Amino acid sequence: MTRKPPAEDPGDARLRVGPPKEYAAGLPAVTSSLRHAGEQMGARRSLLTLLRVNQKQGFDCPGCAWPEPDHRHRAEFCENGAKAVAEEATVRRVTPDFFAEHTLEDLLPRSDYWLGQQGRLTHPMYRPAGADRYRPISWDDAFAVIARELDALDNPDQAAFYTSGRASNEAAFLYQLFVRAFGTNNLPDCSNMCHESSGSALVETIGIGKGSVSLEDLYEADLILVVGQNPGTNHPRMLSALERAKQQGARVIAVNPLPEAGLIRFKNPQKPSGVIGGGTKLADQFLQIRLGGDQALFQAFNRMLLEAEDETPGTLDASFIERYTHGFEEFAEHARKASWDEILQATGLPEAEIREAFDQVLAAEKIVVCWAMGLTQHKHSVPTIRDVVNFLLLRGNIGRPGAGLCPVRGHSNVQGDRTMGIYEKPDDAFLDALGAEFAFAPPRHHGHDAVDSIRAMRDGDVRVFVALGGNFVAAAPDTDLTEQALRRCRLTVQISTKLNRSHVIAGEQALILPCLGRTEADLRPSGPQLVTVEDSMGMVHLSRGRLAPASEHLLSEVAIICRMAAATLGETGPQMPWGDFASDYDRIRDRIERVIPGFEDFNTRVRQPGGFALPHPPRDERRFTTATGLANFTANPLESPKVPPGRLLLQTLRSHDQYNTTIYGLDDRYRGVHQGRRVLFLHPDDLAERGLADGDLVDIVSEYGDGVERRAPAFRTVSYPTPRGCCAAYFPETNVLVPLDSTAAISNTPTSKSVVVRLEPRSADA
């Protein structure tokens, strides 16, 4: 039975903490999936909808980008996928009456959970300058507002156009086309805040900013390193792939500051033995590394591999190194000088544990390294990932079956958005093809990424901000500054399915443009329209929504972009036929085919069951399109976070009832947290050293050195098995602590996994 959204914000009044779990999924995952689906959709709607998730004739899960196997289970979704679908397919509605009842001031103190639970947006809404609330607006008038404000700018670079990973390939392609036809490359996206470090390192070292493995490679691997990643919560279907790899003889090493239930034991809910049996032990070894110590670990592995080659020639793949790589001698000279004292200090690991892991490395011929935000959100993230590449290059573990690089992307089409041209620094080849196809001269200067967009809004250099999906305020660092920056804009536009924090933090004028979701049928006079997405491993496939739209007033993302472009740019003729694109998405795919390599015969190939794989030169033919024409070894100085005495190093992370900025519920079952989110996990000795006890209230204060106090108040301490000197808390609540100017070198990604903080005790009634 469906339930109404909460009338009052529950807060943390009922917060309770128990022991963490030592397995993931199983019967609790089934129960949780059914409960969330039933509360949001009802029983019949849940059954009809969930059985279409990730099916070849169904729709792509709006959650993570983990790929689908060729042979799919009837229930090809995970617990958090079910939650994501339930949130989108909910029967709850946010109508104009809701906005008439609530001013922005009323909504401001509400939690992200409460806002998201109100339901689907049903009408376009407008907050005029000086008004205290949103009011309904027609679609024509909404697009007229956007066109008026964009046309009034002194130059196109005074606008920024954000994209979340939910957008389809078709929407993303048209969005970047509109933005570049308008005259700017200000295309910040969610990648800037997550895997940008991966792309920066991989483009430099192997020539393409994508991972080099397929699902079949995971199944064939001898050894899989899962580094800085919690698949049990963030990519739960990955656990099934790891289980299959284990059954075929692979070993798994988990490298992470926190012990995560999904990497301890997995009870596969798609199998009877997983529901009632003991499940599968996944990690053969757990290296509980200090935050930011991963580069030191791989430098240790690289030094030991070189020393092993000295003792036993043939340990390295000399033929591969000679034929396919560049820079080996300089790298090797540097790697041999890696200091064990510095390695042990940075990792916090005993040397014996590192050598035990290295024994498994030596015993494996085929190795896959998987990673996520634990590697990408540090000051030295790009050098860290370069050293991961060095590690795999030494033994030829790129471009052969069962081996390679596996950055595990987050949102369901975040990789596809980048493929479609959502990038603030496009290369000349892409711009040449785009300009030739659409008969215009795209801007060549680099635009703003996410962090630079916030700076530009803060400084008054960006006056219009448009967001295609996502919840920019909750995803961005330095929350107070980000909110101030958005409020300085003349106009903010949010293209959204559900109410979120970014609707409450509005510019002088603000628009909410409600759009169709993945689960919904997109019906046009020419027939039902299909969209495509690209998964984390470069497979492109169709997504077919089937549900009736949440409101008759919704438009698709494609239609919104086309009408926004037509209103702003005027009649553009056959070069950019926005009306034709909105009526038939095959026409968009025809143009994608002519602009982006790898999409030849797009409309035909994508209609094949399962879609098709995009080309990946390093994987497919060991061809590396780098500046040297080879895979590049790199010599990287060892870096790790430096923490002053008495301070801690904080990482922000998700709870299990959360995906990115969407809060499904107030539990983190695997970590033992229930009915609350303002918790701080830290080692019991760190509690005692500060005169604190488990359950005390503290304010978390970040220390960056710019004289700005960043404070997250009233967090309950939780004694937890973290490394000494490291602590963890959920975002977006702790994004306020991440300084805007604390970013990774080269990628400019916020350093959300290495924030220096101090704790200030707080009385319970403060």
Side-chain angles (χ1 to χ4, degrees):
M1 178 179 294
T2 57
R3 294 185 182 181
K4 293 182 179 179
E8 298 299 326
D9 208 321
D12 286 328
R14 296 179 292 169
L15 172 65
R16 57 187 175 86
V17 180
K21 302 295 184 184
E22 294 188 351
Y23 72 89
L27 184 58
V30 176
T31 303
S32 175
S33 299
L34 295 177
R35 177 174 59 82
H36 278 270
E39 290 177 356
Q40 296 277 358
M41 298 187 289
R44 183 176 182 276
R45 186 178 176 89
S46 296
L47 179 65
L48 294 175
T49 305
L50 291 176
L51 291 179
R52 293 173 178 152
V53 183
N54 296 323
Q55 300 298 327
K56 293 179 180 178
Q57 297 299 315
F59 62 89
D60 193 70
C61 177
C64 81
W66 189 254
E68 285 75 55
D70 189 48
H71 301 288
R72 303 179 191 184
H73 192 277
R74 191 71 183 94
E76 190 58 54
F77 58 87
C78 65
E79 175 189 351
N80 277 357
K83 294 173 187 174
V85 170
E87 288 279 317
E88 181 179 292
T90 181
V91 296
R92 300 171 183 175
R93 300 289 182 263
V94 176
T95 68
D97 289 343
F98 175 91
F99 291 103
E101 180 182 351
H102 294 285
T103 65
L104 290 180
E105 185 178 359
D106 293 336
L107 296 173
L108 187 60
R110 300 289 191 172
S111 69
D112 294 88
Y113 170 69
W114 187 90
L115 292 170
Q117 289 300 302
Q118 300 310 301
R120 288 288 300 276
L121 298 159
T122 61
H123 292 68
M125 304 297 296
Y126 175 52
R127 182 249 181 147
D132 67 348
R133 70 194 73 205
Y134 286 95
R135 69 187 190 197
I137 187 173
S138 72
W139 280 107
D140 285 344
D141 287 346
F143 294 125
V145 169
I146 296 171
R148 181 188 71 215
E149 295 302 326
L150 289 176
D151 290 342
L153 298 175
D154 295 332
N155 64 76
D157 288 331
Q158 288 184 325
F161 299 84
Y162 177 73
T163 316
S164 87
R166 191 201 67 210
S168 67
N169 286 328
E170 292 73 19
F173 183 78
L174 291 184
Y175 193 55
Q176 63 82 31
L177 175 63
F178 160 56
V179 170
R180 293 190 166 106
F182 177 66
T184 185
N185 281 313
N186 287 346
L187 281 160
D189 75 317
C190 56
S191 260
N192 299 148
M193 293 183 279
C194 56
H195 263 293
E196 198 66 57
S197 297
S198 299
S200 298
L202 296 181
V203 167
E204 177 186 358
T205 55
I206 68 168
I208 183 171
K210 301 180 182 183
S212 66
V213 302
S214 66
L215 272 178
E216 287 69 27
D217 290 319
L218 278 179
Y219 303 151
E220 295 181 29
D222 298 324
L223 177 65
I224 302 169
L225 284 82
V226 182
V227 189
Q229 184 192 0
N230 174 18
T233 287
N234 300 333
H235 314 92
R237 287 188 301 133
M238 181 179 176
L239 298 180
S240 300
L242 292 175
E243 178 187 50
R244 179 170 169 181
K246 291 281 293 185
Q247 291 169 346
Q248 296 184 192
R251 296 182 67 80
V252 175
I253 297 177
V255 184
N256 205 55
L258 300 180
E260 301 291 9
L263 290 172
I264 298 173
R265 185 170 295 275
F266 172 50
K267 295 187 177 183
N268 191 337
Q270 294 179 342
K271 301 177 180 179
S273 60
V275 176
I276 61 175
T280 301
K281 177 185 176 183
L282 290 184
D284 297 283
Q285 185 179 1
F286 170 45
L287 296 178
Q288 188 168 32
I289 200 163
R290 283 178 52 82
L291 286 167
D294 307 276
Q295 184 193 16
L297 176 65
F298 281 95
Q299 289 205 354
F301 287 161
N302 292 339
R303 171 180 166 171
M304 288 189 286
L305 281 170
L306 291 166
E307 292 170 347
E309 172 70 14
D310 295 338
E311 296 178 9
T312 309
T315 299
L316 305 185
D317 190 335
S319 175
F320 174 86
I321 292 170
E322 180 178 0
R323 183 176 179 183
Y324 295 108
T325 73
H326 172 269
F328 172 75
E329 296 299 335
E330 180 183 357
F331 154 75
E333 181 181 359
H334 174 79
R336 290 179 184 278
K337 297 176 183 177
S339 163
W340 271 105
D341 288 342
E342 293 180 3
I343 288 167
L344 298 180
Q345 182 178 8
T347 62
L349 297 169
E351 183 176 342
E353 288 191 16
I354 297 176
R355 292 194 179 277
E356 179 185 348
F358 182 69
D359 288 342
Q360 297 189 62
V361 169
L362 276 183
E365 292 185 5
K366 298 173 292 184
I367 301 176
V368 172
V369 181
C370 305
W371 72 89
M373 304 301 94
L375 259 63
T376 65
Q377 293 179 328
H378 298 278
K379 183 73 174 176
H380 59 297
S381 286
V382 173
T384 296
I385 297 164
R386 288 183 191 139
D387 273 318
V388 172
V389 175
N390 289 335
F391 169 72
L392 291 175
L393 290 178
L394 282 171
R395 302 181 74 195
N397 275 313
I398 295 178
R400 63 189 180 97
L405 298 150
C406 185
V408 182
R409 307 286 179 173
H411 219 152
S412 60
N413 197 40
V414 63
Q415 185 160 297
D417 287 351
R418 182 57 56 87
T419 302
M420 291 296 107
I422 301 294
Y423 189 36
E424 75 280 359
K425 295 181 285 191
D427 62 41
D428 286 340
F430 174 80
L431 293 178
D432 289 345
L434 189 71
E437 176 63 27
F438 292 100
F440 80 113
R444 298 279 168 165
H445 59 283
H446 289 176
H448 294 317
D449 63 13
V451 166
D452 285 338
S453 293
I454 297 169
R455 292 172 178 147
M457 288 186 283
R458 174 198 64 192
D459 298 339
D461 295 330
V462 161
R463 302 290 291 148
V464 174
F465 179 82
V466 181
L468 178 60
N471 181 357
F472 185 77
V473 169
D478 219 335
T479 307
D480 292 344
L481 190 154
T482 296
E483 292 181 356
Q484 293 167 19
L486 281 163
R487 288 188 172 113
R488 290 205 66 189
C489 289
R490 174 65 182 166
L491 173 67
T492 54
V493 181
Q494 305 289 337
I495 302 169
S496 309
T497 57
K498 297 189 69 183
L499 188 67
N500 65 47
R501 176 67 52 192
S502 295
H503 304 132
V504 180
I505 308 301
E508 295 174 27
Q509 303 171 82
L511 283 164
I512 300 173
L513 306 183
C515 63
L516 296 175
R518 289 269 181 86
T519 58
E520 291 168 318
D522 185 357
L523 301 177
R524 307 292 295 170
S526 59
Q529 298 303 306
L530 313 176
V531 296
T532 64
V533 296
E534 178 186 344
D535 66 33
S536 190
M537 294 181 180
M539 290 292 299
V540 178
H541 56 271
L542 283 171
S543 180
R544 304 168 172 85
R546 298 291 181 85
L547 295 178
S551 164
E552 63 181 352
H553 303 284
L554 303 185
L555 295 178
S556 71
E557 290 176 325
V558 166
I560 290 172
I561 293 163
C562 288
R563 292 183 63 177
M564 182 165 55
T568 304
L569 302 177
E571 182 57 48
T572 54
Q575 289 81 17
M576 299 180 195
W578 302 109
D580 289 349
F581 290 150
S583 65
D584 185 351
Y585 298 177
D586 278 355
R587 297 179 181 179
I588 307 170
R589 288 185 280 271
D590 286 340
R591 309 299 280 270
I592 292 172
E593 173 183 329
R594 296 201 287 267
V595 172
I596 302 176
F599 285 86
E600 296 78 11
D601 204 15
F602 190 3
N603 274 309
T604 299
R605 289 197 297 153
V606 82
R607 285 178 165 84
Q608 298 170 355
F612 62 93
L614 289 175
H616 190 289
R619 178 196 65 208
D620 301 338
E621 50 187 311
R622 284 187 162 174
R623 181 167 60 86
F624 302 94
T625 56
T626 64
T628 64
L630 298 166
N632 290 316
F633 279 101
T634 53
N636 305 291
L638 178 59
E639 301 177 59
S640 63
K642 303 298 184 287
V643 183
R647 276 34 179 182
L648 296 165
L649 198 64
L650 171 75
Q651 66 167 325
T652 70
L653 43 70
R654 300 171 181 161
S655 78
H656 190 60
D657 267 1
Q658 174 180 359
Y659 192 76
N660 291 344
T661 58
T662 303
I663 314 299
Y664 303 134
L666 298 177
D667 293 347
D668 190 352
R669 184 173 76 247
Y670 294 157
R671 298 190 182 104
V673 177
H674 302 275
Q675 292 301 303
R677 293 181 51 82
R678 300 187 78 84
V679 294
L680 176 67
F681 303 101
L682 68 168
H683 194 281
D685 291 349
D686 287 323
L687 275 172
E689 186 178 282
R690 288 158 178 77
L692 297 170
D694 189 10
D696 283 351
L697 285 179
V698 297
D699 288 356
I700 313 173
V701 184
S702 73
E703 296 186 347
Y704 180 61
D706 59 0
V708 176
E709 181 180 277
R710 297 175 177 86
R711 181 179 295 265
F715 277 70
R716 174 177 165 175
T717 60
V718 176
S719 179
Y720 205 80
T722 71
R724 281 295 310 270
C726 299
C727 58
Y730 304 131
F731 73 81
E733 289 84 353
T734 49
N735 283 359
V736 66
L737 301 171
V738 184
L740 183 68
D741 294 329
S742 181
T743 60
I746 300 175
S747 70
N748 209 29
T749 296
T751 58
S752 301
K753 294 294 185 287
S754 53
V755 184
V756 176
V757 300
R758 71 175 188 272
L759 307 184
E760 294 185 0
R762 181 185 181 97
S763 63
D765 56 354

